[in-house]
Amino acid sequence: EVQLVESGGGLVQPGGSLRLSCAASGFTFSSYEMNWVRQAPGKGLEWVSYISSSGSTIYYADSVKGRFTISRDNAKNSLYLQMNSLRAEDTAVYYCARDGGYDYEDAFDIWGQGTMVTVSS
Amino acid sequence: QSALTQPASVSGSPGQSITISCTGTSSDVGSYNLVSWYQQHPGKAPKLMIYEGSKRPSGVSNRFSGSKSGNTASLTISGLQAEDEADYYCCSYAGSSTNWVFGGGTKLTVL
């Protein structure tokens, strides 16, 4: 079964750091581009970051640029998001999402269940 | 980059058809045939329903269809069923500087 499982969320104080992980299974992880997408409580979806299959190309939303770092370990079938200098407005459910590749170009075809990040003092 | 514009809510009765619009700009929806639509039930992860504007992934009902005209994309759901009640989000690729932009979401109520 194709699956993405996020972990690492929790409660953190403003200015703090957190590292999210996303474990992939059921597909050849190293062949797919990956993304992080977040959803603030009661709000819509917001794309956060992209990483190419090799990790050589990375993009960020302006709202997190300079504070968040996306990375991947293809040997461990894992995607990461290092979040520093966290703000209250970063409070959200964070989803890892697979880019559909040649099958579903530039669409997010597989999503994890999400991990909640709460930034509060 | 501003979010794409969707109506906050739409409703319809079982068996009817509804259409959700998604308005962007010439920098996103108007420039790329890369609009996707997602269905999200409460407390669940989003599910891909339409990609490349009008294509359905395997397993998605043919009651769901997508189209685009200029800077506006649309999702149509025909033969409404109770299980279609959910939030729907559009998303467009917007180039290498902005990458992806989502709509604000539309809550579909099946009366």
Side-chain angles (χ1 to χ4, degrees):
Chain A
E1 179 191 5
V2 174
Q3 196 172 10
L4 297 170
V5 178
E6 302 94 337
S7 61
L11 175 64
V12 62
Q13 292 187 339
S17 299
L18 212 55
R19 189 196 195 205
L20 306 183
S21 299
C22 172
S25 60
F27 64 98
T28 305
F29 179 71
S30 60
S31 296
Y32 286 86
E33 302 160 0
M34 297 294 296
N35 297 267
W36 287 97
V37 178
R38 69 184 180 182
Q39 185 171 34
K43 302 297 184 182
L45 300 169
E46 180 189 14
W47 171 78
V48 172
S49 185
Y50 158 94
I51 187 167
S52 63
S53 56
S54 67
S56 61
T57 301
I58 285 172
Y59 300 117
Y60 298 100
D62 287 344
S63 57
V64 306
K65 203 172 294 182
R67 300 186 300 120
F68 289 12
T69 301
I70 191 172
S71 63
R72 65 190 297 161
D73 186 335
N74 286 341
K76 293 183 178 180
N77 293 331
S78 293
L79 175 72
Y80 306 101
L81 186 67
Q82 176 66 44
M83 304 186 296
N84 299 330
S85 303
L86 282 161
R87 306 166 180 167
E89 54 265 35
D90 295 320
T91 294
V93 174
Y94 284 74
Y95 294 100
C96 62
R98 189 180 80 170
D99 186 289
Y102 292 112
D103 290 330
Y104 308 121
E105 186 178 1
D106 285 307
F108 308 119
D109 69 330
I110 303 295
W111 297 66
Q113 86 288 351
T115 187
M116 182 70 204
V117 172
T118 302
V119 184
S120 175
S121 54
Chain B
Q1 179 73 20
S2 300
L4 306 176
T5 300
Q6 297 181 233
S9 63
V10 299
S11 63
S13 300
Q16 288 185 332
S17 294
I18 63 95
T19 296
I20 300 171
S21 61
C22 169
T23 301
T25 70
S26 57
S27 297
D28 38 63
V29 175
S31 284
Y32 304 95
N33 198 28
L34 293 172
V35 173
S36 50
W37 288 89
Y38 302 86
Q39 176 191 66
Q40 186 180 36
H41 288 108
K44 301 295 186 181
K47 175 187 176 184
L48 177 64
M49 304 302 285
I50 296 288
Y51 68 103
E52 291 181 30
S54 61
K55 299 179 181 178
R56 275 188 313 276
S58 58
V60 172
S61 170
N62 60 9
R63 297 186 298 105
F64 292 83
S65 62
S67 63
K68 191 187 89 166
S69 177
N71 296 338
T72 298
S74 298
L75 173 71
T76 297
I77 308 173
S78 59
L80 270 178
Q81 300 178 1
E83 68 215 46
D84 299 332
E85 186 163 291
D87 293 326
Y88 291 84
Y89 294 91
C90 62
C91 179
S92 176
Y93 181 70
S96 58
S97 60
T98 306
N99 293 282
W100 287 268
V101 60
F102 281 93
T106 297
K107 180 176 181 59
L108 168 62
T109 301
V110 180
L111 301 171

